[in-house]
């Protein structure tokens, strides 16, 4: 099958849900799983081999400032010592691409930092970037079509 330009998936056609609530103010979200590896030298081989021994999930959300939700979460930890974890679902569904829908669920999202106060006289709209870690992911059987 030939790849057609209209099959390119637009990131604008995505949605993000955090604990079941749609985050209408999300501008950008990216999550990455990185393998942790250990090197193994094997007698008689010049190449160093690698063995995967773990995974680490990291990401970033960029949001238009519209809520104090994340300030509240970090202050909850500051006051009580109880950390707050979230579950997120990213839904990518570009009807124009006709490739299907992709839903990725991220478990135990924990935000690393948040801006607690921000003013900007030149801003047309405040944004906040929230780096995070996560501890698990799932991709249901509904996948984007292959060629």
């Amino acid at each position: 099958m030939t790849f057609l330009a209209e099959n390119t998936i637009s990131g604008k056609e995505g949605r993000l849900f955090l604990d079941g609530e749609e985050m209408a103010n999300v501008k950008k979200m990216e999550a990455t799983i990185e393998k942790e590896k250990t090197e193994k030298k094997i007698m008689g081989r010049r190449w160093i081999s690698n063995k995967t021994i773990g995974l680490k999930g990291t990401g970033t959300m960029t949001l238009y400032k519209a809520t104090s939700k994340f300030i509240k979460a970090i202050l909850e930890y500051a006051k009580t010592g109880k950390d707050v974890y979230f579950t997120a679902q990213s839904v990518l569904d570009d009807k124009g691409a006709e490739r299907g829908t992709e839903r990725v669920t991220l478990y135990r999202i924990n935000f690393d930092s948040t801006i607690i106060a921000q003013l900007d006289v030149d801003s047309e709209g405040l944004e906040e970037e929230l780096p995070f870690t996560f501890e698990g992911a799932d991709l249901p059987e509904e996948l984007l079509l292959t060629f």
Side-chain angles (χ1 to χ4, degrees):
M1 176 185 264
T2 304
F3 179 76
L4 303 172
E6 59 263 26
N7 289 331
T8 302
I9 298 168
S10 170
K12 292 179 181 181
E13 300 299 332
R15 293 180 297 161
L16 181 70
F17 297 85
L18 200 62
D19 287 343
E21 176 186 345
E22 186 167 5
M23 300 297 295
N25 60 320
V26 70
K27 179 180 177 185
K28 181 178 179 182
M29 192 279 292
E30 183 175 281
T32 303
I33 296 175
E34 182 179 334
K35 290 182 177 182
E36 179 185 357
K37 295 183 179 184
T38 183
E39 291 184 351
K40 300 293 179 192
K41 296 178 181 177
I42 300 171
M43 193 64 66
R45 293 178 67 182
R46 290 181 183 89
W47 288 96
I48 295 175
S49 296
N50 295 281
K51 177 175 176 63
T52 301
I53 59 170
L55 300 170
K56 181 177 182 180
T58 60
T60 305
M61 286 183 199
T62 304
L63 307 170
Y64 295 109
K65 179 67 177 173
T67 178
S68 300
K69 178 180 198 141
F70 305 104
I71 296 172
K72 184 177 178 184
I74 207 158
L75 290 178
E76 169 83 12
Y77 176 73
K79 292 175 183 176
T80 68
K82 183 179 183 292
D83 216 345
V84 180
Y85 292 85
F86 300 91
T87 299
Q89 186 175 58
S90 167
V91 180
L92 191 54
D93 187 18
D94 182 354
K95 303 290 189 207
E98 297 182 359
R99 303 303 303 154
T101 301
E102 180 182 74
R103 289 177 174 83
V104 176
T105 304
L106 305 176
Y107 300 104
R108 294 189 51 78
I109 288 179
N110 185 260
F111 291 100
D112 300 337
S113 64
T114 188
I115 298 168
I116 65 164
Q118 182 181 29
L119 302 170
D120 184 349
V121 71
D122 292 324
S123 174
E124 292 181 13
L126 294 176
E127 295 180 8
E128 53 187 333
E129 186 173 285
L130 302 168
F132 62 88
T133 56
F134 62 95
E135 300 173 19
D138 192 26
L139 178 67
E141 289 304 311
E142 289 182 54
L143 303 173
L144 297 175
L145 299 174
T146 57
F147 291 99

